[in-house]
Amino acid sequence: MVDVAKLLPSLDEKLVLYGGPAYKKGPGKDPECLNRPILEPPTERELRGMVNMDPVDLEIFGHKLDSITDEGRAIIMNVGMAEGLHSGDVGVSIFTSLGDMAAMATGVVMHAILNYGPIKYILKYYKDDPTVGLKDGDIFFFNDPVCGGVHPYDMFVIMPVFYRWELIAWVGCGGHQGESGSKDPGGFSTTVRTRYEEGLHVIPMKIGENFEIKTDHMDYLAHSVRTPRNLTVDVKARVAVCMRLRKRLLREVEKRGPDFVAAGMRMVIQKAAMAARERISGFNDGIYRAVAFLDTVGPEEALLRIPVAVIKADDRIIIDLSGASPEPGVGPFHLSWHLARAASALYFFPYVYRGLRWSIGLYDPVGLIDPPSFLNASEEVACGSGSWVGRIIVQALHVAGSKMAFDSEQREATSAPLTNNLLMYLLGGKDQYGFPMAGMPISSNAVGQGARWDMDGEHTVGFFWAPVVDCPGVEEHEDKFPYLYLFRDRFDTNQAGFGKYRGGVGVTEAFTTHNVESMAMVSIGMGDRFTTNYGVFGGYAAPPNPRFVIKGTAIREMMARTDERLPYGLYEVTEGKPVGGEYLLAPSNEAATAYSPGDLFVLVNGSAGGYGDVLERDPELVMKDLREGLITSAVARQIYCVCWDDGTGEADRAKTEELRAQQRDERKRRGKPFDEFIQAWSKKKPKDEILKYYGNWPVPSDT
Amino acid sequence: MGLTINVDIGGTFTDVLIIKDGQRTTGKADTTVYNLTVGFMGAVEHAASKLGLSLSQALGQADMIKYSTTVGTNALIERSGPKLGLITTRGFEDTIHIGKSRSWADGMSREVAMDRPRAQRPPDLIPRELRVGVKERIDCFGTVVMPLKKDEVLAKVQYLVDQGVRGIIVCLLWSFVNPAHEKQIRDIIREEYPEVYLGNIPVILSSEVSPKIDEYKRSVTAILDAYLTTAIEDHFLDLTDELRKNDFSKPVMVVRNTGGVASVSRSTPLHLLGAGPVAGILGASFIGKVYGEGNVLATDMGGTSFDFGMVLEGKERQYEFDPIIDRWRIQLPVISNISIGAGGGSIARLDEIGNLKVGPESAGAMPGPACYDKGGNLPTVTDADVVLGFIDPNYFLGGRQRLNKERSVRAIRRRIADPLGLTVEEAAFRIRKLIDGIMGQEVYKQTALKGYDPREFVLFAFGGAGPVHCCGYAEYADVSKIITFPFGSVFNAFGASTMDILQTYEKSQRFLIFDPQSQSYVSDYSVFNQVVQELQEMALKDMREEGFDLKALSFSLELDMRYARQIHSLRFTSPRLRIDSAEDAIAVCDAFQAVFAEAYSKAAAFPQGGMEINNFKLNAMAYLPKPELPVFDPKGESPASALKGERSVFWSPVTGFIPTSVYDHGRLQCGNVVPGPALIEAIDTVYVIPDGKRFVVDRYLNGLIEDN
């Protein structure tokens, strides 16, 4: 047994070396602003306010901060035009005067530990610069990931909050805008090689003063994208939210005093840090590992390694990403350190920290070792899909964390990860009403949940990044985009991972261009061949989902005559190719291509993995899955080993037990001693062409 | 009007307010969930007896009964609806399960909504095997892209009939734009399955129940309508039988959550859900007008929940943005009533690092707070109120229920005070303060979300725990003026007495009113006027059939409008029923922009991007006589004649226990002023008046709480 606590000194040394962004300081970016200590030393005002802070007043103040940010979120969701905004892919935050996030409403979990970087940068470099300065009513905009955002498609506005000429807080609002003037319409570009092809890259820039956006600055931003009207509305919406947050916070200052408010924000963060350490102490010390793989670099198929080790010692957790593939330098799948850390919040906040109030303080006991690799890339590379790489870290972290949580009071944190094989279609052109259109349908907000240690995963539980994001309805999408669905809200067969408990199913959809002569489409995704929808504790993974387009189909004619052969699911679309045309099953990532009426797009939004041994699944649940069309009879019989009466559809428990006993014997027969297995396994190696960007095999960092 | 009877069924009690020749008389009975009619008649009998009338005499003299009922809510909780089948567009059979994806958390607390790892949907109202798809498609312009085939419809209907369904709901994509296919399905069923064969199976079309965009909400609205019909019909048959037996021969008007009353036959089951609190908001609006107060926060703190609604500038019609019934989103213009898990039964606990938390979990009525002595051992807000001395354990509900203070002390000591190193009273004080803070700040947030400043509001406090906590939560809500009512425990029944007849009609229709391309107001208004006319004709037909004088009807038009291509709309009252000129169009747009700026600020406005209407809602209203609030003459400021004694109350850790005067609410007279600190005990509540506040009995015998 390894005494993990003894590893801490060496891990701390690695944290010094690799606990921050790989890129160097430069205009608009400074790694020091991103990896400052979570618990900044309190300011004098904060210290004054802490002296007589009543714990109940503090609790009520925490609730107040939540109320304020909730109000801001409601506004941005109501007013925003971009799909990301009105569906809740947003972060609305209140920061201390030093830029530490004290309250946040989202949307997207990772925003909880993002967006502080630009504030710290402004404080460090611009505040005292007479050509920029900082005063009440200033409005800053940013979207460049290197200064602490997500990717160029997520755009933010931040504003300082002054009380009697003294800076007492910051407020911020932003979220996924999509269109950024990048190479392809709608944001994500798959074939880019450098960040310069990904459109706007704005480091924190003052776009307004005296509470007004400067017209020339707004025009510059709007002029830089394909949908100027949308961006204008949405930047204004962000500013409106910041103004509202500011107003509410100042009212609290009037009522409770500036010392109270400043101290309250700081103490909310400190309390979160205490709670996090307490929670982590409850897990067993140990090193928990999982290895995941990315199967694309964007323009090409490739295999890249993402190893995750969770080292838990005392009241600390260190996530070690050492051993990842090097930076490929092509495509947008590059991640930066701060985003890797932010991504990990998607597992930590709802699972490890289940029930605790979210703030950046929860990351005080968490360290991230992330040596230079494609998981901590240089600044020149394209990084628009960096968050997608972050998703795979989350998947591996979820698997490793499930092992850690199983023997603890937090067993609810044990489950297969949420569906991640995301494939997105971004559309551009003119919509059916004649308006310019560049956006992204978001049926991906209806993906399946991983199976849990004690129950099945829920179907269509939400969006990968966000617990409280809606999936728009079919009519809403058809009103917004010039297409027509053939099917969508119908669960498809054999999509979820099998297991003692099965994963939840996501939606599978098929649509065709409608009411326009053509429509441009970019597609982006991963998990085409190598799924990241893992199972845990013996549960099956859910299948990969490549891009699937059928060009030149007879779908319109078939619909016009209500053809009997119209397909309503993946099996029906593929078996016998009933719609005619050219079937194109390809990797997810494709640059903008024009499509015509009659082209059929099939999109599998992904289902989740299973938990536990399939032979332990209750036969009645297997039969229910069969009745509901979630599995085929072949799966029920061959995978789950269930027998049933064809007449009544009832499971035959005795015969099932017999069949399962045979299956267990067969497993034993196939089994090998561990050393023998490892010897054979170690000799296996993928084809060289798929390892082009992998680095050394099997561990890229080994030389 | 000589005598009206207003009945409100609540979870615990059935409340009655009889208004006879302007005088109010209240009555109460236990709610009889097994048969609501029993409690209904019992409560009416109780009130009648106070007037020296028998049940039959009171009912015989009554001109009208206004009734808000929980029968639909109960049927939904018990999932006791009939077996239903759904016919939908093929390829979309799981729409009602998927909903909005994260809608698994609809109707649950914020805490549950954020706890995705433990997500669980409720069972579908119509299971997968009873949802069938038919091949057909209509697009967003209403064009038929794929025709419906009769043979397939017949096969699917036969399947559902074979499964034993007792009702069929039809919801097809875009049916609110073009209902042809839905109607065709109903025609096919009627033609091929005559009543003799199918019996009483209703066929319900979503385009008729709710002609609005969003197939999920439209489906659920139609399904719930059908699901609750049987229970509600059964109840009203039973109730009207009983009423008739007791000499009542006038109409029963049901209170609807849309903010009016209507006959049973003109109401859908969905209208009845949550109608009681809406009656309370209407009552608050009525009283607000009497006081000349346009902005009112109506708050109702009970045992398990804290409910509140708003009257803004004299208008009570603030709608829920995305109304949820039980666990489903529906399409109905429900008056906004916010409910959070905070009440006398809210449980106090410590989290893992010792932070105090209160609610949203509640001990409910059973086992209830520790002091109820019914087996509960968790400390609650009521326990804190008992420990602090605000509630007299021997005078709870006027002495009808004895409380065990020792159990309160033990529960708070063991679970809160000892772990925090506090005295029991200090711990109780913190519990009370925290729950007040949570309630008050929620009120603040919701008011702010509407774009209003809470300081410009007066707060009405009712419900059993409202007067006990209102001074606390009003402070956090940033409201300084409070009004309480001697009939506060039957406030919803009072609200019912103030309501008018209201029918609402809606239609989703996109109408671009300001064109972004030409940057001008459109000149063709025919679509706008045609929709309004269509809705007006529906209203006139209904009202004519109900026998109302059409000349006495009043119409108002509400529009859902947005800047073009935004997703979310804002509802506001249109200044015009028709658009006949550019001036009319400008007036409509200006009204929208003013509401938008109030809610979200002018900074977010972008009229240059276009403005469009996407939904029309017409209200047809027939006014009913209103109750009068009797006025009393002042009898002097001194409340001495109502003083019933003194007891020690722990007001704060700074003051500790201090002797506090206790007054009998029933003996206070008009003009009396009770300075804080003081307690005023009534049978159904305690008015807690802290130091710095005073309680003034006004000319209506209502209690104003204001700064001293």
Side-chain angles (χ1 to χ4, degrees):
Chain A
M1 287 282 282
V2 180
D3 183 348
V4 185
K6 286 188 178 163
L7 297 177
L8 282 176
S10 64
L11 291 168
D12 283 334
E13 282 176 24
K14 281 183 88 176
L15 275 171
V16 171
L17 285 173
Y18 303 128
Y23 49 81
K24 301 283 181 272
K25 187 175 141 186
K29 63 179 190 291
D30 181 351
E32 195 272 340
C33 293
L34 291 172
N35 64 351
R36 288 189 57 76
I38 296 287
L39 297 181
E40 293 270 14
T43 64
E44 281 182 24
R45 183 183 283 288
E46 289 167 355
L47 287 170
R48 276 201 306 275
M50 286 177 184
V51 175
N52 293 316
M53 180 65 75
D54 177 276
V56 175
D57 287 336
L58 179 61
E59 183 67 26
I60 293 172
F61 179 68
H63 178 264
K64 183 72 188 181
L65 292 177
D66 288 344
S67 298
I68 295 173
T69 50
D70 278 354
E71 183 186 344
R73 181 179 58 188
I75 294 175
I76 190 73
M77 287 179 68
N78 284 340
V79 176
M81 284 183 82
E83 294 79 24
L85 298 186
H86 67 70
S87 64
D89 184 350
V90 298
V92 176
S93 313
I94 298 175
F95 304 87
T96 66
S97 61
L98 298 178
D100 301 311
M101 200 277 292
M104 193 260 323
T106 185
V108 170
V109 179
M110 69 177 170
H111 286 309
I113 50 172
L114 284 174
N115 305 326
Y116 58 91
I119 298 176
K120 291 184 183 288
Y121 191 88
I122 292 167
L123 291 171
K124 189 171 177 181
Y125 294 102
Y126 293 161
K127 179 168 74 74
D128 300 319
D129 180 334
T131 67
V132 187
L134 183 66
K135 61 180 186 305
D136 204 9
D138 284 349
I139 302 166
F140 289 87
F141 175 95
F142 70 92
N143 76 326
D144 193 326
V146 297
C147 68
V150 182
H151 46 198
Y153 325 124
D154 276 22
M155 302 183 185
F156 288 83
V157 164
I158 46 177
M159 289 180 71
V161 180
F162 281 78
Y163 180 71
R164 294 184 181 162
W165 305 283
E166 186 188 344
L167 178 70
I168 57 159
W170 290 80
V171 291
C173 171
H176 192 86
Q177 188 66 35
E179 170 58 30
S180 67
S182 65
K183 189 176 167 192
D184 293 306
F188 294 108
S189 291
T190 64
T191 56
V192 290
R193 300 185 72 87
T194 72
R195 72 191 189 99
Y196 304 108
E197 297 164 88
E198 292 184 315
L200 271 172
H201 278 82
V202 183
I203 56 156
M205 180 173 78
K206 195 187 287 190
I207 61 164
E209 289 180 320
N210 300 317
F211 308 102
E212 295 271 1
I213 302 173
K214 294 180 180 181
T215 307
D216 57 341
H217 285 56
M218 188 65 251
D219 286 351
Y220 160 68
L221 295 175
H223 175 68
S224 305
V225 302
R226 295 175 181 84
T227 50
R229 188 168 64 105
N230 290 23
L231 186 66
T232 304
V233 170
D234 289 344
V235 170
K236 281 167 159 255
R238 288 166 170 90
V239 173
V241 171
C242 286
M243 303 257 216
R244 183 64 64 89
L245 300 179
R246 175 185 173 276
K247 183 177 171 186
R248 300 288 177 239
L249 198 62
L250 284 176
R251 174 64 187 145
E252 207 56 17
V253 172
E254 281 169 20
K255 285 171 69 177
R256 319 258 173 231
D259 293 356
F260 175 92
V261 169
M265 288 191 287
R266 178 63 58 199
M267 290 179 78
V268 160
I269 297 169
Q270 291 174 338
K271 282 224 161 201
M274 280 171 59
R277 287 186 184 276
E278 181 70 23
R279 177 65 60 88
I280 287 171
S281 299
F283 297 109
N284 294 321
D285 278 6
I287 303 174
Y288 306 89
R289 297 181 193 277
V291 180
F293 296 90
L294 172 66
D295 61 1
T296 180
V297 292
E300 299 171 60
E301 290 189 283
L303 201 62
L304 285 86
R305 184 171 187 259
I306 302 175
V308 172
V310 175
I311 303 145
K312 190 271 160 182
D314 298 332
D315 60 357
R316 292 177 64 192
I317 280 181
I318 291 161
I319 304 166
D320 190 349
L321 303 180
S322 300
S325 291
E327 188 177 295
V330 298
F333 288 87
H334 296 96
L335 187 63
S336 50
W337 174 87
H338 75 282
L339 199 54
R341 188 176 71 161
S344 68
L346 187 62
Y347 178 67
F348 269 78
F349 277 24
Y351 290 90
V352 175
Y353 294 147
R354 179 168 176 254
L356 300 184
R357 191 175 173 281
W358 295 3
S359 96
I360 199 165
L362 293 178
Y363 261 61
D364 177 51
V366 180
L368 174 67
I369 295 169
D370 189 7
S373 74
F374 85 114
L375 304 183
N376 190 3
S378 58
E379 68 270 46
E380 293 294 300
V381 292
C383 59
S385 299
S387 57
W388 296 55
V389 181
R391 302 157 68 107
I392 306 185
I393 293 177
V394 176
Q395 299 302 88
L397 192 59
H398 201 131
V399 172
S402 289
K403 297 175 190 173
M404 178 179 75
F406 186 83
D407 181 31
S408 78
E409 287 183 4
Q410 307 301 324
R411 190 175 282 181
E412 283 77 12
T414 297
S415 66
L418 201 69
T419 301
N420 175 57
N421 292 353
L422 198 59
L423 170 57
M424 281 182 163
Y425 292 167
L426 287 79
L427 310 177
K430 285 211 166 181
D431 69 15
Q432 63 272 44
Y433 304 106
F435 288 110
M437 176 265 306
M440 177 174 67
I442 43 178
S443 304
S444 53
N445 287 6
V447 299
Q449 180 184 33
R452 295 163 279 191
W453 73 274
D454 56 348
M455 60 178 131
D456 290 341
E458 271 292 332
H459 303 317
T460 55
V461 77
F463 175 45
F464 181 82
W465 287 113
V468 289
V469 168
D470 272 358
C471 175
V474 166
E475 288 172 351
E476 199 176 320
H477 265 165
E478 288 187 349
D479 185 43
K480 180 119 182 152
F481 297 104
Y483 62 51
L484 189 82
Y485 282 107
L486 179 61
F487 59 83
R488 191 189 84 158
D489 289 347
R490 183 173 196 266
F491 295 132
D492 220 331
T493 310
N494 291 345
Q495 290 299 303
F498 315 127
K500 177 181 180 183
Y501 296 108
R502 56 140 182 80
V505 182
V507 296
T508 299
E509 58 191 302
F511 58 85
T512 181
T513 312
H514 188 61
N515 281 323
V516 287
E517 287 179 5
S518 78
M519 179 172 76
M521 188 184 87
V522 177
S523 66
I524 183 161
M526 59 190 174
D528 302 328
R529 293 179 190 265
F530 205 121
T531 185
T532 57
N533 298 335
Y534 308 118
V536 291
F537 291 86
Y540 280 47
N545 36 290
R547 178 172 163 277
F548 187 6
V549 178
I550 313 170
K551 289 203 75 168
T553 71
I555 197 81
R556 291 164 66 84
E557 297 77 14
M558 290 173 79
M559 289 177 88
R561 59 175 183 267
T562 322
D563 197 302
E564 284 304 312
R565 292 167 302 155
L566 277 166
Y568 288 95
L570 270 182
Y571 281 76
E572 292 180 23
V573 167
T574 45
E575 284 175 358
K577 300 186 175 176
V579 294
E582 185 187 2
Y583 277 56
L584 302 169
L585 198 63
S588 291
N589 297 291
E590 190 194 57
T593 309
Y595 289 93
S596 310
D599 295 338
L600 188 68
F601 307 88
V602 183
L603 179 50
V604 180
N605 287 288
S607 302
Y611 171 94
D613 188 351
V614 285
L615 299 185
E616 291 179 18
R617 184 161 179 79
D618 184 336
E620 298 302 332
L621 293 178
V622 175
M623 296 312 294
K624 184 169 179 280
D625 289 347
L626 186 58
R627 280 196 303 278
E628 294 182 349
L630 298 179
I631 54 173
T632 53
S633 56
V635 166
R637 207 175 297 274
Q638 292 166 26
I639 304 289
Y640 284 113
C641 294
V642 170
C643 301
W644 65 88
D645 182 322
D646 283 330
T648 63
E650 299 284 324
D652 184 329
R653 284 192 172 265
K655 284 187 181 166
T656 297
E657 274 315 304
E658 204 177 308
L659 188 59
R660 286 181 169 183
Q662 286 171 15
Q663 182 63 25
R664 288 189 178 99
D665 288 343
E666 176 62 19
R667 285 179 179 178
K668 285 179 196 160
R669 195 186 60 72
R670 288 200 307 266
K672 289 178 185 171
F674 184 72
D675 291 343
E676 200 180 310
F677 165 77
I678 289 295
Q679 203 176 5
W681 180 255
S682 304
K683 288 179 184 159
K684 293 176 186 290
K685 186 184 176 193
K687 290 177 183 168
D688 286 342
E689 59 261 35
I690 205 73
L691 297 178
K692 181 176 170 188
Y693 299 104
Y694 184 89
N696 294 312
W697 177 264
V699 178
S701 54
D702 288 351
T703 52
Chain B
M1 197 170 274
L3 189 148
T4 60
I5 299 174
N6 306 281
V7 183
D8 172 55
I9 295 195
T12 312
F13 296 113
T14 296
D15 301 329
V16 163
L17 180 74
I18 293 181
I19 301 177
K20 185 172 189 296
D21 301 325
Q23 296 300 311
R24 295 188 301 263
T25 308
T26 63
K28 265 184 190 291
D30 288 341
T31 293
T32 46
V33 177
Y34 63 94
N35 180 356
L36 296 178
T37 303
V38 175
F40 180 109
M41 303 304 277
V44 175
E45 190 169 21
H46 180 221
S49 68
K50 291 182 180 174
L51 289 167
L53 299 174
S54 69
L55 177 64
S56 297
Q57 284 171 327
L59 289 170
Q61 291 177 26
D63 299 308
M64 181 182 281
I65 290 176
K66 291 182 182 173
Y67 175 34
S68 75
T69 179
T70 54
V71 59
T73 312
N74 294 346
L76 205 48
I77 291 168
E78 292 161 9
R79 298 287 189 268
S80 57
K83 190 175 186 179
L84 300 171
L86 174 71
I87 299 176
T88 189
T89 304
R90 178 104 186 251
F92 305 88
E93 293 89 339
D94 291 321
T95 295
I96 66 163
H97 183 91
I98 293 167
K100 297 293 176 185
S101 185
R102 63 108 177 192
S103 47
W104 60 267
D106 283 352
M108 307 302 280
S109 67
R110 186 181 197 270
E111 288 76 10
V112 172
M114 296 304 281
D115 191 12
R116 186 161 65 175
R118 305 307 292 167
Q120 274 186 289
R121 276 190 171 81
D124 295 331
L125 287 169
I126 299 181
R128 180 66 185 84
E129 59 269 25
L130 298 180
R131 307 194 296 257
V132 296
V134 290
K135 290 193 177 88
E136 66 86 37
R137 268 318 313 261
I138 287 171
D139 73 7
C140 64
F141 295 109
T143 308
V144 175
V145 179
M146 187 184 343
L148 188 69
K149 282 197 168 173
K150 184 177 177 180
D151 289 352
E152 190 187 9
V153 173
L154 283 173
K156 295 292 166 65
V157 172
Q158 186 60 52
Y159 165 79
L160 291 177
V161 169
D162 290 346
Q163 300 300 309
V165 299
R166 303 301 306 152
I168 294 174
I169 289 92
V170 187
C171 182
L172 306 179
L173 288 172
W174 295 104
S175 62
F176 68 97
V177 177
N178 180 357
H181 281 180
E182 286 195 357
K183 287 181 173 170
Q184 208 177 326
I185 288 175
R186 181 170 60 192
D187 292 345
I188 292 171
I189 295 173
R190 282 181 177 163
E191 186 186 319
E192 298 293 329
Y193 293 86
E195 205 170 302
V196 215
Y197 181 76
L198 273 185
N200 228 354
I201 294 182
V203 179
I204 291 158
L205 307 187
S206 75
S207 54
E208 292 183 353
V209 173
S210 184
K212 294 182 68 177
I213 191 167
D214 197 314
E215 71 280 1
Y216 163 64
K217 292 193 257 186
R218 195 166 68 246
S219 301
V220 170
T221 305
I223 291 167
L224 281 172
D225 187 71
Y227 191 76
L228 299 173
T229 294
T230 312
I232 285 171
E233 279 179 359
D234 287 352
H235 170 61
F236 277 98
L237 280 174
D238 184 52
L239 177 68
T240 46
D241 272 358
E242 275 302 305
L243 289 171
R244 217 176 294 122
K245 275 186 218 161
N246 285 283
D247 300 334
F248 180 75
S249 55
K250 300 286 173 48
V252 174
M253 306 301 278
V254 291
V255 175
R256 308 199 323 181
N257 50 22
T258 49
V261 297
S263 68
V264 179
S265 60
R266 293 287 154 195
S267 304
T268 74
L270 285 178
H271 282 124
L272 309 185
L273 301 174
V278 169
I281 295 165
L282 271 287
S285 175
F286 173 80
I287 292 183
K289 289 187 177 80
V290 171
Y291 279 87
E293 298 280 2
N295 291 336
V296 179
L297 293 163
T299 64
D300 179 351
M301 184 180 177
T304 55
S305 69
F306 175 70
D307 297 315
F308 64 98
M310 276 169 262
V311 181
L312 304 177
E313 296 175 10
K315 295 172 193 157
E316 62 280 349
R317 298 194 186 285
Q318 312 305 321
Y319 298 101
E320 298 225 4
F321 173 69
D322 222 354
I324 291 172
I325 294 291
D326 196 90
R327 302 288 300 274
W328 295 279
R329 292 186 215 186
I330 58 157
Q331 291 174 327
L332 201 66
V334 173
I335 300 280
S336 178
N337 171 63
I338 293 119
S339 185
I340 61 168
S346 293
I347 294 168
R349 64 183 171 83
L350 299 180
D351 70 10
E352 54 201 289
I353 59 163
N355 289 317
L356 177 65
K357 306 282 176 188
V358 184
E361 299 81 12
S362 169
M366 196 64 202
C371 59
Y372 277 21
D373 225 349
K374 291 179 180 172
N377 56 11
L378 301 176
T380 65
V381 171
T382 298
D383 290 307
D385 288 332
V386 168
V387 164
L388 296 170
F390 294 117
I391 293 176
D392 178 355
N394 297 316
Y395 195 68
F396 190 63
L397 296 177
R400 289 204 304 273
Q401 185 179 346
R402 294 295 165 113
L403 303 180
N404 185 338
K405 182 178 175 182
E406 273 316 299
R407 286 185 61 84
S408 296
V409 169
R410 210 178 312 145
I412 293 175
R413 175 179 292 132
R414 216 176 101 212
R415 295 181 186 268
I416 310 292
D418 284 354
L420 291 179
L422 301 171
T423 66
V424 173
E425 291 77 21
E426 285 169 342
F429 174 81
R430 288 189 181 187
I431 293 169
R432 183 177 160 86
K433 186 175 176 182
L434 184 54
I435 198 72
D436 287 351
I438 290 169
M439 291 186 294
Q441 289 184 167
E442 191 64 28
V443 172
Y444 184 102
K445 180 177 87 174
Q446 297 297 338
T447 314
L449 265 174
K450 299 279 183 194
Y452 284 82
D453 186 337
R455 285 171 291 188
E456 294 163 3
F457 282 69
V458 59
L459 186 146
F460 289 0
F462 42 91
V468 190
H469 285 264
C470 60
C471 288
Y473 62 73
E475 185 194 333
Y476 288 101
D478 228 355
V479 182
S480 57
K481 187 175 176 185
I482 302 167
I483 302 180
T484 61
F485 308 93
F487 50 90
S489 68
V490 296
F491 198 89
N492 291 347
F494 169 79
S497 75
T498 68
M499 294 170 83
D500 295 308
I501 289 169
L502 174 72
Q503 296 279 16
T504 58
Y505 304 86
E506 283 194 84
K507 185 173 172 63
S508 281
Q509 174 71 54
R510 192 167 172 270
F511 177 66
L512 187 70
I513 188 165
F514 182 81
D515 187 342
Q517 313 219 2
S518 64
Q519 288 292 305
S520 62
Y521 292 92
V522 296
S523 53
D524 181 358
Y525 315 116
S526 56
V527 170
F528 184 102
N529 294 332
Q530 195 182 324
V531 172
V532 175
Q533 191 181 339
E534 213 175 281
L535 297 176
Q536 269 182 320
E537 282 166 8
M538 287 163 72
L540 289 168
K541 178 174 174 287
D542 278 354
M543 291 296 198
R544 194 179 298 119
E545 286 173 10
E546 286 285 288
F548 289 107
D549 176 6
L550 299 186
K551 286 178 195 152
L553 280 185
S554 130
F555 290 107
S556 65
L557 180 67
E558 292 175 283
L559 302 171
D560 292 351
M561 198 163 157
R562 60 191 178 189
Y563 291 112
R565 310 312 290 151
Q566 276 184 337
I567 288 295
H568 296 292
S569 308
L570 262 184
R571 177 163 291 178
F572 68 103
T573 302
S574 168
R576 303 281 190 276
L577 272 180
R578 284 181 59 85
I579 298 183
D580 293 314
S581 64
E583 287 71 29
D584 289 342
I586 291 168
V588 169
C589 290
D590 285 353
F592 160 69
Q593 297 223 70
V595 173
F596 185 92
E598 255 177 20
Y600 306 126
S601 102
K602 275 185 186 169
F606 190 56
Q608 301 89 329
M611 287 182 274
E612 64 186 11
I613 295 163
N614 61 341
N615 192 63
F616 292 71
K617 173 172 174 277
L618 185 81
N619 303 314
M621 192 173 277
Y623 292 99
L624 293 176
K626 299 287 178 293
E628 286 177 15
L629 291 184
V631 176
F632 296 83
D633 293 328
K635 303 287 184 190
E637 287 196 2
S638 172
S641 61
L643 187 66
K644 64 187 275 193
E646 190 178 271
R647 69 169 175 264
S648 256
V649 174
F650 189 93
W651 287 95
S652 79
V654 177
T655 64
F657 278 104
I658 54 174
T660 302
S661 300
V662 181
Y663 295 87
D664 179 354
H665 186 268
R667 286 192 276 149
L668 285 174
Q669 293 184 300
C670 175
N672 285 179
V673 177
V674 179
L679 301 178
I680 304 167
E681 289 186 335
I683 286 174
D684 46 13
T685 191
V686 183
Y687 299 77
V688 173
I689 316 300
D691 190 21
K693 298 277 183 189
R694 62 181 190 164
F695 182 92
V696 180
V697 183
D698 72 5
R699 60 201 299 233
Y700 306 109
L701 296 190
N702 296 328
L704 262 63
I705 303 176
E706 55 192 20
D707 291 340
N708 197 1

